[in-house]
């Protein structure tokens, strides 16, 4: 192939969002089509499937293939792109009769709860009938075609990608409405008789012919862009315009006249058998057995332990320990490099691995898959050693069986991080890890169970709280099996395996709080009745059952305070690295005559405990008064504080993703240096240019804002769900949610402000 | 067996991954083409210079160049193209960027990004070399101030408000339908009592 042709054909401009949207649509349709085919095989044929998928493929070709890349250079190519969208993609999509398969393909609960009220609303049904009226379809399609070919609007589309995308949306939507009466996708009801479609199609053809004649016979180039664009080949811009007009004329007319002819032939052909042509019953060709089988097949929740490859790996009893040993080896490397390696954080494993990589991956994993980092915790190794060398027989003091001690440790850690710039000090990082080793060794060497994880570990508390948003949970598969179980190995353990050391009795375990995903219960259960099951993220926060080992969260002020500390720490931690806050802190230190370290600790403590607790108590009291509910302020404080978890987690994620994206490449030269130090030359010499912060990443800020959007929306949803449990009327629910929603919106605004400020590039080097 | 675990789904998930991964990779190529800024024919070469976005604003802009044979108008893929950009109102040294086909979406063009740190006028010079042939095309760019960040991010910032709005309508519709159902039940109950 000629290199120029090869280069032209390689000019794909694939938009990931469009690609994902098309593929998800295909997946949903296929799922619905498959279910409907079991019931109505004669209506949902393979041809229908091929039509719909062909329509999606045509959209992909129009928007992602070289057609898009050359649309700005040649009007002919741009015309083909638009014809594909309006004349090919739209009718093909409708031939797939997409309404019911798309609805059926979505989760039934989502359709019922989320879409149901809209689908049943009389106003929206009226609107649907109005826009699917043939007159609206015809006028809308012709108007869109003509308007978008007005030079000013066409040029706008050529110059602005956003307007170009909007133009394509206009074309596709109006084309779908235009072809709707012609294709009449099942189960729509025709508003006009079939013969009326003949003048309908001819009118559209007339409008198309008039427009294409303008292009074909114009003696000037209509669009300035094509007049100045470089000519590809011998033809002039005017030739290109005439060719585009001819294409629109000939192909357009064919697309209108062929269906018109088909309709005319069908109308003029007498039926061979009486009754032919009648509208078939919706259940034509239904197969009762298949129908029943389809309904039965809808049950079942995704269990990670049952996945083909991953499940068999996860089920192996030794798997958690392999992960722990790998993480322990990494922690050992971090300690060694932190103590004996370079003092500059971006050159040291202790500066890059924990603060840039581990934290970012931790939050992503918690939100996407669950508390896997606790399962692979390296501190379980010294903990096991402690149990071997120390008695490990004491019971954890009753007075400390809460989260208060963990909150104190967490505050100490957060203060140390900011005041001592842990992120910038590999040696201090190494000492923190060593301190962790010693604490895990001592606590679990002296006390029974997993006291360190449950009552002391600040990272564990972060993981427990954030994992409440995870889509996976270690839980019982069939509660009926537990009801007949007499051994309760999941908590007591047996000769082979330990039971849950965090005192979570699986039949009464709710959510991911205090669960380390250690899988001890999974391996101990003799009935194989525990899995890692898919759950609705954050749904656990909206309920208040009596939880094993935790009781009701509405009575746990310590858990609510822990949540508030973690949520506000997300904002404080990010704010501490933006220039205006750093400057303000310096000026405040000058005014108060306080050195930076003590001032940082003082401000952090104020921002993490009194401020959030006072705010939350105020919200609870205000909501109680406004809603006139009988629930106590303490109970409302405990319940609604949990609603802030999604916003806090989204702030942590946005902040840590920023570091991962801008400083992630720093790991490579650090690994190269470490490998050289260990005598491994395969990775080559360190390329320190990689340790500079990544420059312009135009996608990063929108992504981070989207993350915060998700956090805010989930917070508002959780608050509303909690409120529905206290108030039966909408006005009371709104009154309960209002103060918490206001705080959430204020925190969101703070988060956006932080993201828009110049940030310290922690964990990276500045190259001069 | 549930449909979710069928081979079809697994196949589709694989297809999804196969399509999305290259999509992400291709998406890393910068946008190119855009507004034709200048075109010149020299030394047997035709050089056309494009910039995007339109209008140019403070920040990063894409520059792309098409090099053609002056006689045949055939696109030349093996030309070496560099662009120099310098602010006219400052004594700053011009920044030079080597363009490449890899950075372009339209592979007949060569593309790269330039930094426009302050608003004002800039001079952009593109130079194409192919063997002994050399062509230079220059233009002046007017760079507008950057959009305020909140304005640039408005679709993302408006998203929560839109979702909350839809949710409120959803709740209103749901409660209204429940209310209607209750009224119907109450009317039916009253009718039975009357009988």
């Amino acid at each position: 192939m000629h290199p120029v042709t090869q280069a032209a054909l390689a000019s794909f401009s694939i938009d990931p969002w469009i690609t994902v949207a098309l593929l998800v649509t295909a997946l949903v349709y296929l799922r619905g089509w498959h279910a409907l085919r079991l019931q109505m095989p004669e209506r949902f044929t393979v041809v229908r499937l091929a039509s719909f998928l062909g329509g999606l493929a045509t959209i992909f070709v129009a928007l992602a293939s070289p057609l898009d890349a050359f649309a700005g250079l040649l009007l002919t190519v741009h015309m083909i792109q638009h014809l594909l969208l309006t004349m090919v993609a739209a009718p093909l999509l409708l031939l797939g009769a997409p309404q019911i398969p798309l609805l059926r393909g979505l989760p039934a609960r989502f359709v019922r709860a989320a879409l149901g009220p809209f689908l049943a609303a009389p106003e929206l049904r009226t609107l649907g009938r109005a826009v699917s009226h043939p007159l609206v379809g015809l006028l809308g399609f012709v108007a869109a075609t003509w308007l978008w070919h007005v030079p000013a609007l066409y040029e706008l589309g050529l110059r602005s990608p956003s307007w170009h995308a909007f133009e394509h949306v206009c074309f596709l939507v109006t084309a779908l409405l235009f072809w709707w009466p012609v294709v009449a996708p099942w189960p729509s009801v025709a508003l006009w008789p079939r013969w009326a479609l003949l003048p309908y199609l001819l009118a559209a053809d007339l409008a198309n012919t008039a427009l294409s004649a303008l292009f074909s016979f114009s003696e000037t180039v209509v669009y300035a862009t094509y007049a100045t664009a470089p000519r590809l080949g011998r033809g002039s811009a005017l030739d290109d315009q005439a060719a585009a007009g001819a294409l629109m004329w000939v192909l357009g007319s064919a697309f209108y006249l062929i269906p018109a002819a088909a309709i005319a032939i069908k109308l003029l052909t007498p039926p061979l058998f009486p009754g032919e042509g009648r509208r078939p019953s919706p259940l034509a060709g239904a197969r009762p057995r298949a129908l029943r089988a389809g309904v039965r097949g809808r049950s079942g929740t995704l269990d990670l332990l049952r996945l083909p490859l991953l499940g068999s790996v996860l089920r192996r009893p030794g798997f958690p320990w392999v992960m722990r040993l790998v993480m322990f080896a990494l922690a050992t490397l971090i300690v060694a490099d932190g103590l004996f390696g370079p003092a500059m954080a971006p050159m040291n494993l202790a500066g890059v691995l924990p603060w840039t990589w581990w934290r970012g991956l931790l939050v992503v994993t918690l939100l996407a898959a669950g508390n896997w980092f606790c399962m692979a915790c390296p501190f379980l190794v010294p903990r096991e050693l402690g149990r071997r060398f120390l008695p490990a027989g004491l019971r954890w003091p009753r007075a400390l069986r809460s989260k208060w001690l963990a909150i104190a440790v967490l505050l100490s850690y957060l203060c140390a991080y900011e005041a001592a710039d842990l992120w910038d000090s590999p040696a201090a990082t190494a000492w923190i890890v060593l301190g962790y080793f010693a604490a895990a060794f001592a606590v679990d060497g002296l006390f029974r169970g997993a006291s360190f994880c449950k009552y002391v570990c600040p990272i564990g508390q972060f993981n427990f709280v954030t994992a409440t948003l995870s889509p996976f949970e270690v839980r019982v598969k069939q509660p009926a099996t537990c009801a007949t179980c007499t051994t309760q190995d999941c908590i007591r353990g047996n000769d082979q395996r330990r039971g849950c050391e965090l005192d979570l009795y699986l039949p009464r375990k709710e959510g991911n709080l205090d669960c380390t995903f250690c899988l001890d219960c999974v391996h101990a259960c003799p009935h194989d009745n525990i899995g890692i099951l898919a759950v609705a993220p954050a749904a656990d926060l909206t309920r208040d059952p009596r939880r094993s080992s935790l009781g009701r969260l509405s009575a746990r002020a310590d858990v609510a305070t822990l949540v508030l500390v973690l949520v506000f720490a997300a904002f404080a931690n990010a704010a501490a690295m933006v220039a205006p806050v750093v400057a303000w802190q310096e000026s405040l230190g000058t005014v108060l005559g306080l050195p930076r370290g003590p001032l940082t600790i003082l401000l952090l403590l104020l921002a993490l405990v009194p401020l959030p607790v006072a705010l939350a108590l105020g919200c609870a009291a205000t909501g109680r008064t406004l809603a006139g509910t009988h629930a106590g302020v303490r109970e409302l404080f405990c319940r609604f504080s949990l609603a802030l978890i999604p916003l806090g987690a989204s702030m942590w994620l946005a902040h840590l993703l920023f570091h991962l994206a801008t400083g992630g490449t720093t790991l490579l030269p650090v690994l190269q240096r470490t490998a050289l130090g260990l005598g491994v030359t395969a990775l080559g010499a360190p390329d320190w240019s990689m340790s500079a912060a990544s420059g312009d990443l135009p996608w990063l800020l929108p992504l981070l804002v989207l993350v915060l959007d998700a956090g805010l929306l989930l917070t508002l949803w959780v608050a509303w769900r909690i409120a529905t449990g206290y108030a039966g009327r909408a006005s009371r629910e709104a009154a309960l949610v209002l103060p918490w929603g206001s705080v959430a919106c204020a925190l969101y605004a703070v988060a956006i402000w932080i993201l828009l400020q110049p940030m310290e590039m922690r964990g990276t080097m500045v190259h001069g | 067996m549930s449909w979710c675990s069928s081979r079809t789904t697994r196949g589709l998930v694989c297809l999804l991954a196969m399509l999305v991964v290259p999509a992400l990779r291709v998406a890393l190529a910068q946008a190119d083409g855009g507004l034709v800024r200048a075109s010149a024919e020299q030394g047997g070469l035709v050089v056309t210079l494009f910039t995007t976005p339109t209008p140019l604003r403070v920040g990063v802009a894409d520059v792309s160049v098409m090099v053609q044979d002056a006689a045949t108008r055939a696109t030349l893929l093996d030309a070496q193209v560099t662009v120099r950009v310098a602010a006219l109102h400052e004594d700053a040294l011009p920044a030079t960027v080597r363009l490449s086909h890899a950075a372009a979406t339209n592979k007949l063009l060569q593309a790269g990004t330039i930094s426009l740190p302050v608003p004002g006028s800039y001079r952009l010079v593109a130079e194409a070399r192919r063997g002994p042939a050399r062509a230079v095309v220059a233009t002046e760019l007017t760079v507008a101030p950057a959009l305020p960040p909140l304005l640039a991010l408005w679709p993302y910032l408006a998203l929560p408000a839109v979702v909350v709005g839809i949710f409120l309508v959803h709740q209103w519709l749901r409660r209204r339908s429940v209310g209607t159902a209750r009224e119907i039940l109450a009317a039916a109950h009253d009718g039975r009592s009357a009988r």
Side-chain angles (χ1 to χ4, degrees):
Chain A
M1 192 186 292
H2 193 278
V4 172
T5 314
Q6 203 171 359
L9 291 177
S11 301
F12 275 83
S13 51
I14 300 172
D15 183 325
W17 294 107
I18 292 175
T19 311
V20 170
L22 291 175
L23 287 170
V24 169
T25 309
L27 196 65
V28 171
Y29 180 90
L30 188 56
R31 185 167 187 253
W33 174 87
H34 183 269
L36 288 165
R37 188 168 160 77
L38 292 173
Q39 301 171 7
M40 295 175 267
E42 284 161 21
R43 185 171 296 284
F44 287 94
T45 58
V46 176
V47 175
R48 269 201 205 288
L49 174 70
S51 294
F52 189 80
L53 296 183
L56 294 180
T58 307
I59 295 175
F60 183 79
V61 168
L63 302 183
S65 75
L67 287 175
D68 193 59
F70 283 87
L73 298 177
L74 293 167
L75 180 59
T76 315
V77 176
H78 208 170
M79 192 62 79
I80 293 173
Q81 187 184 37
H82 292 171
L83 287 174
L84 281 178
L85 286 175
T86 56
M87 301 294 184
V88 183
L92 279 178
L93 290 174
L94 294 178
L95 283 168
Q99 310 100 294
I100 305 300
L102 285 177
L103 280 177
R104 186 70 188 266
L106 290 167
R109 205 173 150 193
F110 173 77
V111 173
R112 220 174 17 248
L115 300 184
F118 292 109
L119 296 173
E123 295 88 352
L124 291 177
R125 283 170 175 246
T126 309
L127 182 70
R129 272 197 297 275
V131 296
S132 61
H133 193 279
L135 261 183
V136 175
L138 178 66
L139 293 176
F141 183 57
V142 170
T145 309
W146 276 78
L147 278 175
W148 276 111
H149 284 93
V150 170
L153 288 179
Y154 199 90
E155 290 288 345
L156 184 67
L158 284 172
R159 287 183 184 183
S160 159
S162 313
W163 280 107
H164 199 197
F166 180 62
E167 180 189 8
H168 289 160
V169 170
C170 283
F171 280 145
L172 190 60
V173 170
T174 54
L176 284 169
L177 294 179
F178 171 77
W179 288 108
W180 186 278
V182 180
V183 178
W186 182 82
S188 68
V189 179
L191 295 176
W192 281 4
R194 291 300 277 174
W195 64 262
L197 294 175
L198 298 177
Y200 178 85
L201 287 164
L202 290 175
D205 185 36
L206 210 61
N208 179 69
T209 301
L211 185 61
S212 49
L214 276 180
F215 290 124
S216 297
F217 300 123
S218 173
E219 292 182 355
T220 55
V221 179
V222 177
Y223 304 120
T225 295
Y226 296 116
T228 54
R231 303 313 324 148
L232 299 174
R234 293 279 176 194
S236 67
L238 208 54
D239 296 336
D240 172 40
Q241 183 175 285
L247 199 72
M248 188 184 192
W249 200 332
V250 175
L251 281 183
S253 291
F255 280 115
Y256 294 121
L257 296 180
I258 290 171
I263 291 170
I265 290 168
K266 197 163 183 185
L267 284 172
L268 296 173
T269 309
L272 286 175
F273 305 102
E276 189 185 308
R278 244 186 244 160
R279 194 174 185 80
S281 143
L283 288 177
R287 291 187 299 199
R289 272 183 61 204
L291 188 71
R292 286 197 296 274
V295 173
R296 264 208 313 269
R298 281 180 161 269
S299 65
T301 307
L302 177 66
D303 180 1
L304 287 187
L305 297 181
R306 293 289 150 213
L307 286 181
L309 190 65
L310 183 68
S312 60
V313 174
L314 293 178
R315 282 201 306 273
R316 287 178 185 275
F319 170 74
W321 272 104
V322 171
M323 298 303 295
R324 284 164 201 163
L325 289 172
V326 169
M327 293 297 277
F328 182 74
L330 280 175
T332 310
L333 271 177
I334 286 169
V335 170
D337 209 30
L339 293 177
F340 308 112
M344 271 187 76
M347 298 177 73
N348 196 302
L349 274 180
V352 176
L353 261 187
W355 303 121
T356 304
W357 275 90
W358 174 77
R359 287 196 308 171
L361 293 181
L362 170 74
V363 180
V364 171
T365 310
L366 281 167
L367 295 175
N371 195 0
W372 294 96
F373 270 84
C374 268
M375 186 268 280
C377 178
F379 305 120
L380 293 182
V381 177
R383 189 185 127 181
E384 286 303 311
L385 291 174
R387 286 176 170 180
R388 295 209 172 194
F389 296 110
L390 296 173
L394 298 174
R395 287 179 69 82
W396 186 256
R398 185 172 290 276
L400 294 178
R401 285 181 204 166
S402 64
K403 298 293 182 189
W404 296 116
L405 176 63
I407 292 170
V409 178
L410 178 67
L411 286 170
S412 313
Y413 163 76
L414 291 168
C415 289
Y417 177 83
E418 288 300 339
D421 292 336
L422 286 184
W423 53 272
D424 199 29
S425 170
T429 304
W431 281 111
I432 288 276
V433 178
L434 285 174
Y436 240 108
F437 280 145
F441 179 85
V443 171
D444 283 344
L446 293 173
F447 297 96
R448 276 192 246 162
S451 305
F452 180 76
C453 306
K454 195 174 175 81
Y455 301 116
V456 183
C457 179
I459 300 172
Q461 308 313 313
F462 178 88
N463 294 355
F464 296 153
V465 169
T466 312
T468 55
L469 308 178
S470 158
F472 292 101
E473 181 185 324
V474 177
R475 63 190 297 183
V476 163
K477 289 190 272 193
Q478 297 292 341
T481 308
C482 295
T484 58
C485 177
T486 53
T487 56
Q488 298 172 343
D489 292 8
C490 61
I491 189 160
R492 289 180 181 164
N494 52 39
D495 294 343
Q496 308 290 319
R497 304 291 302 188
R498 286 175 185 154
C500 180
E501 297 200 297
L502 288 105
D503 296 331
L504 299 172
Y505 177 46
L506 262 291
R508 286 206 287 273
K509 175 179 176 287
E510 295 279 344
N512 279 331
L513 267 180
D514 279 10
C515 177
T516 59
F517 272 49
C518 65
L519 306 186
D520 282 346
C521 56
V522 171
H523 297 126
C525 178
H527 310 291
D528 190 18
N529 192 35
I530 300 171
I532 303 175
L533 306 183
V535 292
D540 173 47
L541 301 174
T542 65
R543 295 177 284 115
D544 187 31
R546 187 173 292 282
R547 296 157 198 256
S548 174
S549 172
L550 284 157
R552 289 193 196 280
L553 293 184
S554 55
R556 294 292 302 263
D558 56 332
V559 173
T561 308
L562 173 69
V563 165
L564 290 173
V565 168
L566 284 170
V567 168
F568 278 71
F571 294 85
N573 190 237
M577 58 177 279
V578 299
V581 174
V582 173
W584 172 77
Q585 193 183 330
E586 280 171 5
S587 59
L588 186 68
T590 312
V591 170
L592 298 176
L594 275 174
R596 183 177 165 269
L599 180 66
T600 305
I601 292 173
L602 179 69
L603 289 175
L604 259 181
L605 288 178
L606 283 173
L608 299 188
V609 187
L611 171 72
V613 170
L615 258 178
L617 284 171
C619 288
T622 312
R624 182 173 187 266
T625 310
L626 290 175
T629 175
H630 296 298
V633 170
R634 180 192 160 96
E635 181 182 335
L636 295 176
F637 165 83
C638 293
R639 291 289 316 276
F640 279 91
S641 294
L642 304 181
L644 295 174
I645 293 176
L647 190 59
S650 70
M651 186 66 226
W652 280 114
L653 182 62
H655 176 189
L656 300 175
L657 273 182
F658 171 81
H659 285 305
L660 200 55
T662 54
T665 53
T666 311
L667 183 61
L668 185 65
V670 174
L671 284 179
Q672 288 170 319
R673 184 193 60 75
T674 311
L676 272 183
L678 294 171
V680 179
T681 54
L683 296 182
D687 177 7
W688 293 112
S689 66
M690 301 286 282
S691 63
S694 300
D696 290 302
L697 299 171
W699 51 269
L700 186 59
L701 190 56
L703 176 71
L704 302 185
V705 177
L706 279 178
V707 166
L708 289 170
D709 286 350
L712 174 67
L713 289 170
L714 201 52
T715 281
L716 293 176
W717 180 77
V718 172
W720 170 77
R721 290 287 298 173
I722 294 172
T724 54
Y726 286 105
R729 284 167 44 195
S731 56
R732 288 187 172 185
E733 287 167 12
L736 267 176
V737 171
L738 186 67
W740 298 94
S742 305
V743 167
C745 290
L747 286 173
Y748 174 81
V750 169
I752 297 294
W753 178 80
I754 290 171
L755 289 185
L756 295 178
Q757 302 308 310
M759 300 248 180
E760 281 179 9
M761 292 296 176
R762 293 179 174 179
T764 59
M765 283 202 279
V766 178
H767 296 274
Chain B
M1 188 171 68
S2 91
W3 194 87
C4 286
S5 60
S6 72
R7 284 181 187 177
T8 321
T9 311
R10 287 204 293 273
L12 264 169
V13 170
C14 292
L15 182 71
L16 190 96
M18 282 161 60
L19 284 174
V20 170
V21 171
L24 289 170
R25 199 183 68 81
V26 173
L28 292 177
Q30 297 292 322
D32 51 66
L35 189 67
V36 174
R37 290 285 177 177
S39 186
E41 188 175 330
Q42 289 172 11
L45 303 177
V46 179
V47 180
T48 310
L49 177 64
F50 303 78
T51 63
T52 190
T54 307
L56 289 169
R57 290 190 181 278
V58 165
V60 177
D62 290 310
V63 177
S64 42
V65 167
M66 177 178 273
V67 183
Q68 293 171 288
D69 185 287
T72 62
R73 296 279 165 175
T75 310
L76 303 172
L77 300 177
D78 54 350
Q80 313 280 318
V81 183
T82 52
V83 293
R84 288 192 307 278
V85 62
L88 286 177
H89 55 283
E90 287 183 355
D91 296 332
L93 289 172
T96 304
V97 178
R98 173 81 186 271
L99 305 189
S100 69
H101 292 291
T105 306
N106 184 332
K107 300 298 177 194
L108 298 191
L109 305 178
Q110 298 196 44
T113 55
I114 55 170
S115 180
L116 305 168
V118 289
S121 297
Y122 287 77
R123 183 168 176 76
L124 182 65
V125 180
E127 180 181 349
R129 287 176 181 276
R130 184 173 184 257
R134 174 176 176 270
V136 176
V137 59
T139 185
E140 280 190 16
L141 309 174
T142 303
V143 175
L147 284 175
L150 288 180
L151 198 60
L153 286 172
W154 77 264
Y156 305 97
L157 297 174
L159 185 66
V162 172
V163 175
V164 168
I166 292 171
F167 179 75
L168 290 177
V169 174
H170 174 275
Q171 286 300 300
W172 174 70
L173 290 171
R174 198 174 67 86
R175 281 167 200 268
R176 191 183 63 172
S177 65
V178 170
T180 311
R182 277 191 190 140
E183 280 170 18
I184 292 167
L185 283 174
H189 180 74
D190 291 347
R192 275 203 300 274
S193 303
R195 277 202 301 274

